[in-house]
Amino acid sequence: MRGVLMHAPGDFRVEEREDPKILRPTDAVIRLSATCVCGSDLWPYRGVEPIDGPSPIGHEYVGIVEEVGSEVTTIRPGQFVVGGFSASDNTCEICRAGYQTSCVQREWMNAMGAQAERLRVPLADGTLVATPGMPDADLIPSLLAASDVLGTGWFAATAAEAGLGKTVAVVGDGAVGLLAVLAAKQLGAERIIAMSRHEPRQKLAREFGATDIVTERGDEGVARIKELTGGLGAHSVVEAVGTQESMLQAIRSTRPGGHVGYVGVAHGVKLDGEELFFSRVHLHGGPAPVRQYLPQLIDLIWNRQIDPGKVFDLVLPLEQAAEAYRAMDDRRAVKALLTP
Amino acid sequence: MRGVLMHAPGDFRVEEREDPKILRPTDAVIRLSATCVCGSDLWPYRGVEPIDGPSPIGHEYVGIVEEVGSEVTTIRPGQFVVGGFSASDNTCEICRAGYQTSCVQREWMNAMGAQAERLRVPLADGTLVATPGMPDADLIPSLLAASDVLGTGWFAATAAEAGLGKTVAVVGDGAVGLLAVLAAKQLGAERIIAMSRHEPRQKLAREFGATDIVTERGDEGVARIKELTGGLGAHSVVEAVGTQESMLQAIRSTRPGGHVGYVGVAHGVKLDGEELFFSRVHLHGGPAPVRQYLPQLIDLIWNRQIDPGKVFDLVLPLEQAAEAYRAMDDRRAVKALLTP
């Protein structure tokens, strides 16, 4: 089959890869209807994360089940399925507490390489959620978003305790930040401040529910959030970038006793214990347990109550994955969907 | 009046200080029945925090109101009162959310110097809570504990979400750590693991409700907690020391999705963003909003349901404050009560 292989920073190619097979009786193999490039895929693309190439990449996927192992009981060939970016049994104590990305049997889907025509999914019963039927074509981008960026934005907004009566600020205007705006809106937030200096992204943020746009960054951004919140800071702040500056911006924009939900994969971030202590914020984040939210998110999408697929502003055939990476790296695209 | 003045690290003396007066119409002046030395007072004593001496110190106090300003309406002369270690109006938005140590009008009581015969308390209506009547002498140590160490241990256990069915680990066997054990017990925790290698402190931890004692520290301590929790880590971990080692020990002892409540005043602590991200813990802490808990804690003490005063294992006249500091610095005493 065809699939993306990372060779070196900036050198990601679509090449022949071995067809995935059932390796364990709990596996499924699915034929992908769509996959995409994640903001976190840009870390190795930019050389910030090491590459042991040539190696597969990609962890966002929707598709049709082709084959299941002998111990798979709930997922069946022919179903349309969505799965999270990590495989999980969904039965261990950690999964049952809602932290499927820390499942005792967890496997990262990146290693399987979802930017391809087919994909092996371990722990299929725990990892995959079937949609109520075959989706209309226009629902596929939104269902694909549920696989990571929507689920991650949702987790971030939840970790930040966005909810009724709350003022929520979102640091980062990538797909995850934009979908955290959508999540905050769905969770009932009163006021949603998107921090963005890019007009098309500001527009999408407003469509998703942002009530205010702040273009300032760093200390000036913090000052502006304080100004908008009676000097106190926001109740809830989402961090969806993963740099030292964005993390401090998020913490400093939060009022004492408020909540920071951080989902940007932290690179080179060092937090000073004393500053954190005196900030009095709640800090929670990490790799989002997307699986926890999939049934709810699929339901909202299926009933056309949300349209997270709008974050895909570039659609390319899988064969042009290299261009998808370039467009996202240059910030010409928010998020690129690939059709195998 | 007599009171402690910090001159230099290791050189804390009881000397004549000016009698406190009503400076603002919201002030009260109280005559102290008891005060004490806090673990955090040892930071300047040890030279870790700078001293601009001679300057007063002490922030834990109970006593009888002598005088109130013209705008004080609920606190009256003759009442026995307990107050938190920071003054707060208890009416601003931050106070109402339960974060009185971040009150928009906050003042630290350390600057007033509670290790003395008398004390000026700003924002008396917001800061002080009167007991139902004059306490019996044997209740005074427990009421004094409520002023900081009990309230701080309670906040730490609450921040760590200690509760029904939870396994709680406590890093630090000082007064705050021991009282976090007591708090976890009151909050309904199923299993409480005290980390201590000092026999008298282990004994007190057991009296307060600890079900297990772990003597190992650092990585070995983490491994032992994992071993006791089916390899997962504790649901709730209290950090009550404030060093790099203790903070990492707390984070690493917590299961994914679990909660760390940290109240040790962080000194020289640097947290790596990536480790924190992949730990998936909730992190919350800071200077405890003791005022939030005072009515509840006074009630538990008044009805003799808890006996937090047991943490005082040394009682000295105020004049011997220097010896109290030495005993705590040498870890000969858990906590020293001073009688003015």
Side-chain angles (χ1 to χ4, degrees):
Chain A
M1 69 167 184
R2 304 290 289 172
V4 176
L5 287 172
M6 303 189 281
H7 286 260
D11 182 12
F12 287 24
R13 309 177 201 163
V14 178
E15 297 179 320
E16 276 302 306
R17 280 181 51 197
E18 204 182 337
D19 271 314
K21 286 192 292 276
I22 301 290
L23 299 181
R24 275 172 295 181
T26 47
D27 286 348
V29 170
I30 67 177
R31 180 163 46 82
L32 298 191
S33 304
T35 179
C36 53
V37 180
C38 183
S40 70
D41 296 337
L42 296 178
W43 293 111
Y45 187 80
R46 289 170 175 161
V48 180
E49 271 175 16
I51 294 170
D52 182 20
S55 56
I57 185 167
H59 55 265
E60 296 158 288
Y61 56 98
V62 293
I64 294 167
V65 180
E66 287 197 327
E67 195 186 350
V68 298
S70 59
E71 289 176 17
V72 175
T73 59
T74 61
I75 295 296
R76 293 182 308 274
Q79 284 179 325
F80 190 91
V81 291
V82 187
F85 60 82
S86 70
S88 50
D89 61 26
N90 216 28
T91 56
C92 76
E93 200 173 327
I94 300 295
C95 280
R96 279 182 283 125
Y99 284 84
Q100 286 90 343
T101 36
S102 298
C103 171
V104 297
Q105 299 197 63
R106 184 208 55 224
E107 294 187 55
W108 296 115
M109 292 306 297
N110 246 339
M112 266 50 89
Q115 288 163 15
E117 292 178 294
R118 285 183 173 73
L119 181 68
R120 181 176 73 86
V121 181
L123 302 166
D125 281 330
T127 306
L128 298 171
V129 179
T131 55
M134 273 301 142
D136 293 337
D138 69 321
L139 285 184
I140 287 182
S142 286
L143 291 168
L144 178 62
S147 179
D148 180 352
V149 277
L150 173 60
T152 296
W154 200 275
F155 169 64
T158 304
E161 302 228 336
L164 289 175
K166 297 281 186 77
T167 294
V168 180
V170 177
V171 179
D173 62 0
V176 170
L178 292 167
L179 290 170
V181 169
L182 179 151
K185 174 76 179 170
Q186 289 288 317
L187 293 165
E190 188 173 299
R191 192 171 187 187
I192 304 169
I193 308 168
M195 306 189 84
S196 171
R197 45 179 63 180
H198 302 272
E199 218 170 293
R201 295 173 189 229
Q202 293 172 356
K203 189 168 164 284
L204 199 46
R206 287 209 185 268
E207 280 179 49
F208 284 154
T211 54
D212 301 78
I213 303 287
V214 163
T215 55
E216 292 87 346
R217 282 189 193 168
D219 290 347
E220 285 175 16
V222 172
R224 188 81 188 99
I225 297 289
K226 291 267 173 78
E227 209 178 293
L228 290 170
T229 53
L232 302 178
H235 298 97
S236 303
V237 179
V238 166
E239 191 287 328
V241 183
T243 61
Q244 181 74 13
E245 187 191 24
S246 63
M247 197 71 179
L248 290 181
Q249 190 176 321
I251 292 169
R252 292 172 183 169
S253 297
T254 310
R255 68 178 57 193
H259 293 75
V260 177
Y262 66 102
V263 291
V265 184
H267 282 82
V269 174
K270 289 275 176 211
L271 298 179
D272 178 70
E274 202 163 354
E275 170 163 3
L276 206 58
F277 184 86
F278 286 104
S279 75
R280 295 144 178 99
V281 302
H282 298 74
L283 204 59
H284 184 44
V290 169
R291 176 62 183 80
Q292 182 192 162
Y293 307 111
L294 278 182
Q296 181 186 2
L297 300 179
I298 289 174
D299 193 58
L300 287 168
I301 293 164
W302 199 262
N303 297 316
R304 297 179 184 274
Q305 291 173 269
I306 58 173
D307 191 1
K310 281 184 187 167
V311 294
F312 293 105
D313 52 356
L314 180 64
V315 178
L316 291 171
L318 176 64
E319 286 297 326
Q320 292 178 37
E323 166 56 17
Y325 273 91
R326 273 193 299 272
M328 282 178 63
D329 186 34
D330 298 344
R331 285 179 75 89
R332 282 184 281 119
V334 173
K335 195 165 175 73
L337 184 145
L338 300 170
T339 51
Chain B
M1 68 165 184
R2 305 290 288 172
V4 176
L5 287 172
M6 302 188 283
H7 285 261
D11 182 13
F12 287 26
R13 308 176 202 163
V14 178
E15 297 179 322
E16 276 303 308
R17 282 180 50 199
E18 205 182 336
D19 271 315
K21 285 193 291 272
I22 301 290
L23 299 181
R24 277 172 295 182
T26 47
D27 286 348
V29 169
I30 66 177
R31 180 162 47 82
L32 297 190
S33 304
T35 179
C36 53
V37 179
C38 183
S40 70
D41 297 337
L42 296 179
W43 294 112
Y45 186 80
R46 289 170 175 161
V48 180
E49 273 175 14
I51 294 170
D52 182 20
S55 57
I57 185 167
H59 54 264
E60 296 159 286
Y61 55 97
V62 293
I64 294 168
V65 179
E66 286 197 331
E67 196 185 349
V68 297
S70 59
E71 289 176 19
V72 175
T73 58
T74 60
I75 294 296
R76 294 184 306 274
Q79 284 179 325
F80 190 92
V81 290
V82 187
F85 60 83
S86 70
S88 50
D89 61 26
N90 216 27
T91 56
C92 76
E93 200 173 327
I94 300 293
C95 280
R96 279 183 283 124
Y99 285 83
Q100 287 89 344
T101 36
S102 298
C103 171
V104 298
Q105 299 197 64
R106 184 208 55 225
E107 294 187 54
W108 297 114
M109 292 305 298
N110 246 340
M112 268 48 93
Q115 288 164 14
E117 291 178 292
R118 286 185 172 72
L119 180 70
R120 180 175 74 86
V121 181
L123 303 164
D125 280 331
T127 307
L128 298 171
V129 178
T131 55
M134 274 300 143
D136 294 336
D138 68 322
L139 285 184
I140 287 182
S142 287
L143 291 167
L144 178 62
S147 179
D148 180 352
V149 277
L150 173 59
T152 296
W154 200 275
F155 169 65
T158 304
E161 302 229 334
L164 289 176
K166 297 282 186 78
T167 294
V168 180
V170 177
V171 180
D173 62 359
V176 170
L178 292 167
L179 290 170
V181 169
L182 179 149
K185 173 76 179 171
Q186 289 289 316
L187 292 164
E190 187 173 298
R191 192 172 186 186
I192 304 167
I193 308 168
M195 304 189 87
S196 171
R197 45 179 62 180
H198 301 271
E199 219 171 289
R201 294 171 190 230
Q202 293 173 355
K203 191 168 162 285
L204 199 46
R206 287 211 184 265
E207 280 179 49
F208 283 156
T211 54
D212 301 78
I213 302 288
V214 163
T215 54
E216 292 87 346
R217 283 189 193 166
D219 291 346
E220 286 175 16
V222 172
R224 189 81 187 99
I225 297 289
K226 291 267 174 77
E227 210 178 293
L228 290 170
T229 53
L232 302 177
H235 299 97
S236 304
V237 179
V238 166
E239 192 288 325
V241 182
T243 62
Q244 182 74 12
E245 188 193 24
S246 63
M247 197 71 177
L248 290 182
Q249 189 175 322
I251 292 169
R252 293 172 183 169
S253 298
T254 309
R255 68 178 57 194
H259 293 75
V260 176
Y262 66 102
V263 291
V265 185
H267 281 82
V269 174
K270 289 276 176 211
L271 297 179
D272 178 70
E274 202 163 354
E275 170 162 2
L276 206 57
F277 184 85
F278 286 103
S279 76
R280 295 142 177 102
V281 302
H282 297 75
L283 205 58
H284 184 45
V290 170
R291 176 63 182 81
Q292 182 192 160
Y293 307 112
L294 278 182
Q296 181 185 2
L297 299 179
I298 289 172
D299 193 58
L300 287 169
I301 293 164
W302 199 261
N303 296 315
R304 297 180 184 274
Q305 291 173 267
I306 57 173
D307 191 1
K310 281 185 187 168
V311 294
F312 293 106
D313 53 355
L314 179 65
V315 177
L316 290 171
L318 175 64
E319 285 297 325
Q320 292 177 39
E323 167 53 18
Y325 274 91
R326 272 192 300 271
M328 282 179 63
D329 186 33
D330 297 346
R331 285 179 75 89
R332 281 184 282 120
V334 173
K335 195 163 175 76
L337 185 147
L338 300 170
T339 50

